[in-house]
Amino acid sequence: MSQMNLFSNKICLYSRVSTKKTQSDTISSQNDEMTRWCEANGFQIMKMFSDKCSGLDDCREGLKSAIAYSKQTGATIACVELSRLTRSISQTIELMDDDSIKILFTRHNGRTMNRVELFYTAVSNQMSSEATSRRVSAGIQTLFLNNPTARSNWGRANDPRVGADLTR
């Protein structure tokens, strides 16, 4: 039996970006890539879901909606890769343990990953995300140490909506 037979012909796409900044892996580019893959492999796209937030966040409405839609209709969730679905080990384990959800990754040519591959990929994704957070935090702290006035210009201090009485 081919791997493609494991999935429903009905697909819902899920894409995620961490920030609203311009990136090479935008929601639009992910959807285009998954659409091309689905068309080439005979899958019917039923719906698209997306989030603009960290893959470590639990409160992603797009992912929750994709999961609910998948459970309701039997559609398979397509995502370009695990890091776009989640960067959390615990979320990956939850998804692995839910037999009512089928997920395929188009950058892996639609093949499933076994539990060990998913777990190791999830560990790597979460560690990468945490390392990025540490580097950004260290960079900000270095900026503040090297330029004491930078802290007063950071965040809301430059927000034009904040009144002139803001204590700096």
Side-chain angles (χ1 to χ4, degrees):
M1 179 159 102
S2 109
Q3 279 229 242
M4 298 301 171
N5 292 338
L6 297 174
F7 303 110
S8 163
N9 188 45
K10 297 176 183 174
I11 295 283
C12 65
L13 305 182
Y14 176 75
S15 53
R16 181 190 64 78
V17 293
S18 299
T19 64
K20 294 176 179 142
K21 293 184 217 171
T22 303
Q23 300 177 353
S24 60
D25 216 7
T26 65
I27 286 175
S28 176
S29 68
Q30 289 174 50
N31 285 341
D32 290 348
E33 180 181 333
M34 289 185 288
T35 298
R36 284 190 307 274
W37 188 90
C38 287
E39 289 171 354
N41 289 283
F43 288 95
Q44 179 184 7
I45 298 170
M46 305 303 292
K47 208 159 184 176
M48 295 181 183
F49 301 92
S50 64
D51 285 307
K52 290 182 182 177
C53 61
S54 169
L56 292 172
D57 288 347
D58 284 337
C59 56
R60 292 184 285 140
E61 293 308 313
L63 181 57
K64 288 179 184 177
S65 296
I67 290 169
Y69 182 81
S70 174
K71 287 181 176 187
Q72 178 184 8
T73 65
T76 298
I77 299 172
C79 192
V80 291
E81 62 186 20
L82 182 60
S83 70
R84 298 297 87 205
L85 187 67
T86 181
R87 286 191 175 269
S88 162
I89 296 168
S90 62
Q91 285 178 351
T92 301
I93 291 170
E94 278 180 42
L95 291 170
M96 286 188 317
D97 287 343
D98 191 335
D99 292 333
S100 67
I101 303 170
K102 298 282 188 250
I103 301 169
L104 65 83
F105 302 103
T106 59
R107 289 186 183 160
H108 297 284
N109 201 26
R111 76 174 187 84
T112 59
M113 287 195 233
N114 65 40
R115 292 178 70 83
V116 172
E117 289 174 305
L118 278 170
F119 182 74
Y120 280 119
T121 303
V123 169
S124 174
N125 289 341
Q126 185 168 328
M127 288 176 65
S128 173
S129 183
E130 290 169 356
T132 299
S133 293
R134 283 192 303 274
R135 285 192 307 272
V136 168
S137 181
I140 292 168
Q141 293 306 313
T142 300
L143 171 69
F144 291 163
L145 286 172
N146 293 336
N147 183 356
T149 62
R151 188 177 298 275
S152 65
N153 295 326
W154 194 262
R156 292 194 61 205
N158 285 334
D159 189 336
R161 297 170 294 177
V162 176
D165 61 339
L166 176 69
T167 306
R168 293 192 164 122

